[in-house]
Amino acid sequence: MNSTLRIRRARPEDQSAFYAVCLQTSDNGADGSHLHEAPDALGNIYVGPYLRLEPDLALALEDDVGVCGYCLGTPNSARYYERFQREWLPHIQAKLIQPAGDPARWTLTEQLHNQLLHPEALAYFPPSFAAWPAHMHIDLLPRAQGQGWGRRMLEQQMTALRATGAPGVHLCVAPGNARALAFYRKLGFTDLPAGPDTPPDSVFLGRTL
């Protein structure tokens, strides 16, 4: 295990590094930077609002080079998504233009901008998830993978979520990310049933805390 790696509480000034990690792991764990015309779009969904709304549950993984991973979460998804839409999205949406033309021909960035302007799918928390009200997600750059740090960060995050009184936690994985699915299932996460309104290309897993 790389002894220079360390977990710490995230700080506001970590945002740009977290956004970079988000991009560099966005293609089923591989670097997806080349797929995005607007590099902040993905981070504005999966990083920025957590740092702003749930700073006490934001963990950074860093080494002597810099930040190489993060774990973010919330103990109450319903409350988080309400605040996400009320407190975070307005200043983001004010800078966006609704994509035009055939949605089937939209670029990935245009798809993300459409999601930010119409965030219903981003706030997916069906009644069937009531036993797993918390959610979290983690991303690590390749230099931090395969050394047990992902497990350590998730365990630290789940301990923090448990301390809030959350009875369970869920997370979302792209179906093509076989490595991540195997990792979470090994940690005791089980597949949650998909419903008619489940976002496409999403697998949800849950675990009791």
Coordinates of all heavy atoms in Angstrom, one line a residue, residues 121-173:
A121 N -34.3 13.5 -13.3 CA -33.6 12.2 -13.3 C -32.4 12.3 -12.3 O -32.0 11.3 -11.7 CB -33.1 11.8 -14.6
L122 N -31.9 13.5 -12.1 CA -30.7 13.6 -11.2 C -31.2 13.5 -9.7 O -30.3 13.3 -8.9 CB -30.1 15.0 -11.4 CG -29.5 15.3 -12.8 CD1 -28.9 16.7 -12.9 CD2 -28.5 14.2 -13.2
A123 N -32.5 13.7 -9.5 CA -33.0 13.7 -8.1 C -33.8 12.4 -7.9 O -34.9 12.4 -7.3 CB -33.9 14.9 -7.9
Y124 N -33.3 11.3 -8.4 CA -34.0 10.0 -8.3 C -33.9 9.4 -6.9 O -32.8 9.0 -6.5 CB -33.4 9.0 -9.4 CG -34.1 7.7 -9.4 CD1 -35.4 7.6 -9.9 CD2 -33.4 6.6 -8.9 CE1 -36.0 6.3 -9.9 CE2 -34.1 5.3 -8.9 CZ -35.3 5.2 -9.5 OH -36.0 4.0 -9.5
F125 N -35.0 9.4 -6.3 CA -35.1 8.8 -4.9 C -36.5 8.2 -4.7 O -37.3 8.9 -4.1 CB -34.7 9.8 -3.8 CG -34.7 9.2 -2.4 CD1 -33.9 8.1 -2.1 CD2 -35.6 9.7 -1.5 CE1 -33.9 7.6 -0.8 CE2 -35.6 9.2 -0.2 CZ -34.7 8.1 0.1
P126 N -36.8 7.0 -5.3 CA -38.1 6.5 -5.2 C -38.5 6.0 -3.8 O -37.6 5.7 -3.0 CB -38.1 5.3 -6.2 CG -36.7 4.9 -6.1 CD -35.8 6.1 -5.9
P127 N -39.8 5.9 -3.5 CA -40.2 5.3 -2.2 C -39.6 4.0 -1.8 O -39.4 3.7 -0.7 CB -41.7 5.3 -2.4 CG -42.1 6.3 -3.4 CD -40.9 6.2 -4.4
S128 N -39.3 3.2 -2.9 CA -38.7 1.9 -2.6 C -37.3 1.9 -2.0 O -36.8 0.9 -1.5 CB -38.7 1.0 -3.9 OG -37.9 1.7 -4.9
F129 N -36.7 3.1 -2.0 CA -35.4 3.3 -1.4 C -35.4 3.8 0.0 O -34.4 4.2 0.6 CB -34.5 4.3 -2.3 CG -34.0 3.8 -3.6 CD1 -34.5 2.6 -4.1 CD2 -33.0 4.5 -4.3 CE1 -34.0 2.1 -5.3 CE2 -32.6 4.0 -5.5 CZ -33.0 2.8 -6.0
A130 N -36.6 3.8 0.6 CA -36.7 4.4 2.0 C -35.8 3.7 3.0 O -35.4 4.4 4.0 CB -38.2 4.3 2.4
A131 N -35.5 2.5 2.9 CA -34.6 1.8 3.8 C -33.2 2.2 3.6 O -32.3 1.8 4.5 CB -34.8 0.3 3.7
W132 N -32.8 2.9 2.5 CA -31.5 3.3 2.2 C -31.5 4.8 1.9 O -31.2 5.2 0.8 CB -30.9 2.5 1.0 CG -31.1 1.0 1.2 CD1 -30.2 0.1 1.9 CD2 -32.1 0.2 0.7 NE1 -30.7 -1.2 1.8 CE2 -31.8 -1.2 1.1 CE3 -33.3 0.4 0.0 CZ2 -32.7 -2.2 0.8 CZ3 -34.1 -0.7 -0.3 CH2 -33.8 -2.0 0.1
P133 N -31.8 5.6 2.8 CA -32.0 7.0 2.5 C -30.7 7.8 2.2 O -30.8 8.9 1.6 CB -32.7 7.6 3.8 CG -32.2 6.7 4.9 CD -32.1 5.3 4.3
A134 N -29.6 7.3 2.7 CA -28.3 8.0 2.4 C -27.8 7.6 1.1 O -28.2 6.5 0.5 CB -27.3 7.6 3.5
H135 N -27.0 8.4 0.5 CA -26.3 7.9 -0.7 C -24.9 8.5 -0.8 O -24.6 9.5 -0.1 CB -27.1 8.2 -2.0 CG -27.0 9.7 -2.5 ND1 -28.1 10.5 -2.3 CD2 -26.1 10.4 -3.2 CE1 -27.8 11.7 -2.8 NE2 -26.6 11.6 -3.3
M136 N -24.0 7.9 -1.5 CA -22.6 8.4 -1.6 C -22.0 7.9 -2.9 O -22.6 7.1 -3.6 CB -21.8 7.8 -0.4 CG -21.7 6.3 -0.4 SD -20.8 5.7 1.0 CE -20.8 3.9 0.7
H137 N -20.9 8.5 -3.3 CA -20.1 8.0 -4.4 C -18.7 8.4 -4.3 O -18.3 9.3 -3.5 CB -20.7 8.6 -5.8 CG -20.6 10.1 -5.9 ND1 -19.7 10.7 -6.7 CD2 -21.4 11.0 -5.4 CE1 -19.9 12.0 -6.7 NE2 -20.9 12.2 -5.9
I138 N -17.9 7.6 -4.9 CA -16.4 7.7 -4.8 C -15.7 7.6 -6.1 O -16.2 6.8 -7.0 CB -15.9 6.5 -3.8 CG1 -14.4 6.6 -3.6 CG2 -16.3 5.2 -4.4 CD1 -13.9 5.6 -2.5
D139 N -14.7 8.3 -6.3 CA -13.8 8.2 -7.5 C -12.4 8.3 -7.1 O -12.0 9.2 -6.3 CB -14.2 9.3 -8.5 CG -15.5 9.1 -9.2 OD1 -15.7 8.0 -9.7 OD2 -16.4 10.1 -9.2
L140 N -11.6 7.4 -7.7 CA -10.1 7.4 -7.4 C -9.4 7.4 -8.7 O -9.7 6.6 -9.6 CB -9.7 6.2 -6.6 CG -10.4 5.9 -5.3 CD1 -9.8 4.7 -4.6 CD2 -10.3 7.1 -4.3
L141 N -8.3 8.2 -8.9 CA -7.5 8.1 -10.0 C -6.7 6.8 -10.0 O -6.5 6.2 -9.0 CB -6.5 9.3 -10.0 CG -7.1 10.7 -10.2 CD1 -6.0 11.7 -10.2 CD2 -7.9 10.8 -11.5
P142 N -6.2 6.3 -11.2 CA -5.5 5.0 -11.3 C -4.4 4.9 -10.3 O -4.2 3.8 -9.7 CB -5.0 5.0 -12.7 CG -6.0 5.8 -13.5 CD -6.4 6.9 -12.5
R143 N -3.6 5.9 -10.0 CA -2.5 5.8 -9.1 C -2.9 5.5 -7.6 O -2.0 5.1 -6.8 CB -1.6 7.0 -9.1 CG -2.2 8.3 -8.5 CD -1.1 9.4 -8.5 NE -1.5 10.6 -7.8 CZ -2.1 11.7 -8.2 NH1 -2.4 11.7 -9.5 NH2 -2.3 12.7 -7.5
A144 N -4.2 5.7 -7.3 CA -4.7 5.4 -6.0 C -5.5 4.1 -5.9 O -6.0 3.7 -4.8 CB -5.5 6.5 -5.5
Q145 N -5.7 3.4 -7.0 CA -6.5 2.2 -7.1 C -5.8 1.0 -6.8 O -4.6 0.9 -6.9 CB -7.2 2.1 -8.5 CG -8.1 3.3 -8.8 CD -8.6 3.2 -10.3 OE1 -8.4 2.2 -11.0 NE2 -9.2 4.3 -10.7
G146 N -6.5 0.0 -6.4 CA -6.0 -1.4 -6.1 C -5.1 -1.5 -4.9 O -4.3 -2.4 -4.8
Q147 N -5.2 -0.6 -4.0 CA -4.4 -0.6 -2.8 C -5.2 -0.6 -1.5 O -4.6 -0.4 -0.4 CB -3.4 0.6 -2.8 CG -2.6 0.8 -4.0 CD -1.8 2.1 -4.1 OE1 -1.0 2.4 -3.2 NE2 -2.1 2.9 -5.1
G148 N -6.5 -0.7 -1.6 CA -7.4 -0.7 -0.4 C -7.9 0.6 0.0 O -8.6 0.7 1.0
W149 N -7.5 1.7 -0.7 CA -7.9 3.0 -0.2 C -9.4 3.3 -0.5 O -10.1 4.0 0.3 CB -7.0 4.1 -0.9 CG -5.7 4.1 -0.3 CD1 -4.5 3.5 -0.8 CD2 -5.3 4.7 0.9 NE1 -3.5 3.7 0.0 CE2 -3.9 4.4 1.1 CE3 -5.9 5.4 1.9 CZ2 -3.1 4.8 2.2 CZ3 -5.2 5.8 3.1 CH2 -3.8 5.5 3.2
G150 N -9.9 2.7 -1.6 CA -11.3 2.9 -1.8 C -12.2 2.3 -0.7 O -13.1 2.9 -0.2
R151 N -11.8 1.1 -0.3 CA -12.5 0.4 0.8 C -12.4 1.3 2.1 O -13.4 1.4 2.8 CB -12.0 -1.0 1.0 CG -12.6 -1.7 2.2 CD -11.8 -3.0 2.5 NE -12.1 -4.0 1.4 CZ -13.1 -4.9 1.5 NH1 -13.9 -4.9 2.6 NH2 -13.3 -5.7 0.5
R152 N -11.2 1.8 2.4 CA -11.0 2.5 3.6 C -11.9 3.8 3.6 O -12.5 4.2 4.6 CB -9.6 2.9 3.8 CG -8.7 1.7 4.1 CD -7.2 2.1 4.2 NE -7.0 2.9 5.3 CZ -5.8 3.4 5.6 NH1 -4.7 3.2 4.8 NH2 -5.6 4.2 6.7
M153 N -11.9 4.5 2.4 CA -12.7 5.7 2.3 C -14.2 5.4 2.5 O -15.0 6.1 3.2 CB -12.5 6.4 1.0 CG -11.1 7.0 0.8 SD -11.0 8.1 -0.6 CE -11.7 9.6 0.0
L154 N -14.7 4.3 1.8 CA -16.1 4.0 1.9 C -16.5 3.6 3.4 O -17.5 3.9 3.9 CB -16.4 2.8 1.0 CG -16.5 3.2 -0.5 CD1 -16.6 2.0 -1.3 CD2 -17.6 4.2 -0.8
E155 N -15.6 2.8 4.0 CA -15.9 2.4 5.4 C -15.9 3.7 6.3 O -16.8 3.8 7.2 CB -14.8 1.4 5.9 CG -15.0 0.1 5.2 CD -13.9 -0.9 5.6 OE1 -12.8 -0.4 6.2 OE2 -14.0 -2.1 5.3
Q156 N -15.0 4.6 6.1 CA -15.0 5.9 6.9 C -16.3 6.6 6.6 O -16.9 7.2 7.5 CB -13.8 6.7 6.6 CG -13.7 8.0 7.4 CD -12.3 8.6 7.3 OE1 -11.3 8.0 7.0 NE2 -12.3 9.9 7.4
Q157 N -16.7 6.7 5.3 CA -17.9 7.4 5.0 C -19.1 6.7 5.6 O -20.0 7.4 6.1 CB -18.1 7.5 3.5 CG -19.3 8.3 3.0 CD -19.1 9.8 3.2 OE1 -19.2 10.3 4.3 NE2 -18.7 10.5 2.1
M158 N -19.2 5.4 5.5 CA -20.4 4.7 6.1 C -20.4 4.8 7.6 O -21.5 4.9 8.2 CB -20.3 3.2 5.7 CG -20.7 3.0 4.2 SD -20.9 1.3 3.7 CE -19.2 0.7 3.7
T159 N -19.3 4.9 8.3 CA -19.3 5.2 9.7 C -19.9 6.5 10.0 O -20.6 6.7 11.0 CB -17.8 5.1 10.3 OG1 -17.3 3.7 10.1 CG2 -17.8 5.5 11.7
A160 N -19.5 7.5 9.2 CA -20.0 8.9 9.4 C -21.5 8.9 9.1 O -22.3 9.6 9.8 CB -19.3 9.9 8.5
L161 N -22.0 8.2 8.1 CA -23.4 8.2 7.8 C -24.2 7.5 8.9 O -25.3 7.9 9.2 CB -23.6 7.5 6.4 CG -23.1 8.3 5.2 CD1 -23.2 7.4 4.0 CD2 -24.0 9.5 5.0
R162 N -23.6 6.4 9.4 CA -24.3 5.7 10.5 C -24.4 6.6 11.7 O -25.4 6.5 12.4 CB -23.4 4.4 10.8 CG -24.1 3.5 11.8 CD -23.2 2.3 12.1 NE -22.9 1.5 10.9 CZ -21.7 1.4 10.4 NH1 -20.6 2.0 10.9 NH2 -21.5 0.7 9.3
A163 N -23.4 7.4 12.0 CA -23.5 8.3 13.1 C -24.6 9.4 13.0 O -25.1 9.9 14.0 CB -22.1 9.0 13.3
T164 N -25.1 9.6 11.8 CA -26.2 10.6 11.6 C -27.5 9.9 11.9 O -28.5 10.6 11.9 CB -26.2 11.1 10.1 OG1 -26.6 10.1 9.2 CG2 -24.8 11.7 9.7
G165 N -27.5 8.6 12.0 CA -28.8 7.9 12.2 C -29.4 7.3 10.9 O -30.4 6.6 11.0
A166 N -28.7 7.4 9.8 CA -29.2 6.8 8.6 C -29.1 5.3 8.7 O -28.1 4.7 9.0 CB -28.3 7.3 7.4
P167 N -30.2 4.6 8.3 CA -30.3 3.2 8.5 C -29.6 2.4 7.3 O -29.3 1.2 7.4 CB -31.7 2.8 8.5 CG -32.4 3.9 7.7 CD -31.6 5.2 8.0
G168 N -29.5 3.1 6.2 CA -28.9 2.4 5.0 C -28.4 3.4 4.0 O -28.8 4.6 4.1
V169 N -27.7 2.9 3.0 CA -27.1 3.8 2.0 C -27.2 3.2 0.7 O -27.2 1.9 0.5 CB -25.6 4.1 2.3 CG1 -24.8 2.9 2.4 CG2 -25.0 5.1 1.4
H170 N -27.4 4.0 -0.4 CA -27.4 3.4 -1.7 C -26.4 4.2 -2.6 O -26.0 5.3 -2.2 CB -28.8 3.5 -2.3 CG -29.3 4.9 -2.6 ND1 -30.0 5.7 -1.7 CD2 -29.3 5.6 -3.8 CE1 -30.3 6.8 -2.3 NE2 -29.9 6.8 -3.5
L171 N -26.1 3.7 -3.7 CA -25.3 4.3 -4.7 C -25.6 3.9 -6.1 O -26.4 2.9 -6.3 CB -23.8 4.0 -4.4 CG -23.4 2.6 -4.1 CD1 -23.2 1.8 -5.4 CD2 -22.1 2.6 -3.3
C172 N -25.1 4.6 -7.1 CA -25.4 4.3 -8.5 C -24.1 4.0 -9.3 O -23.1 4.7 -9.1 CB -26.1 5.5 -9.1 SG -26.6 5.3 -10.8
V173 N -24.2 3.0 -10.1 CA -23.1 2.6 -11.0 C -23.5 2.4 -12.4 O -24.6 1.9 -12.7 CB -22.5 1.3 -10.4 CG1 -21.3 0.9 -11.3 CG2 -22.1 1.4 -9.0

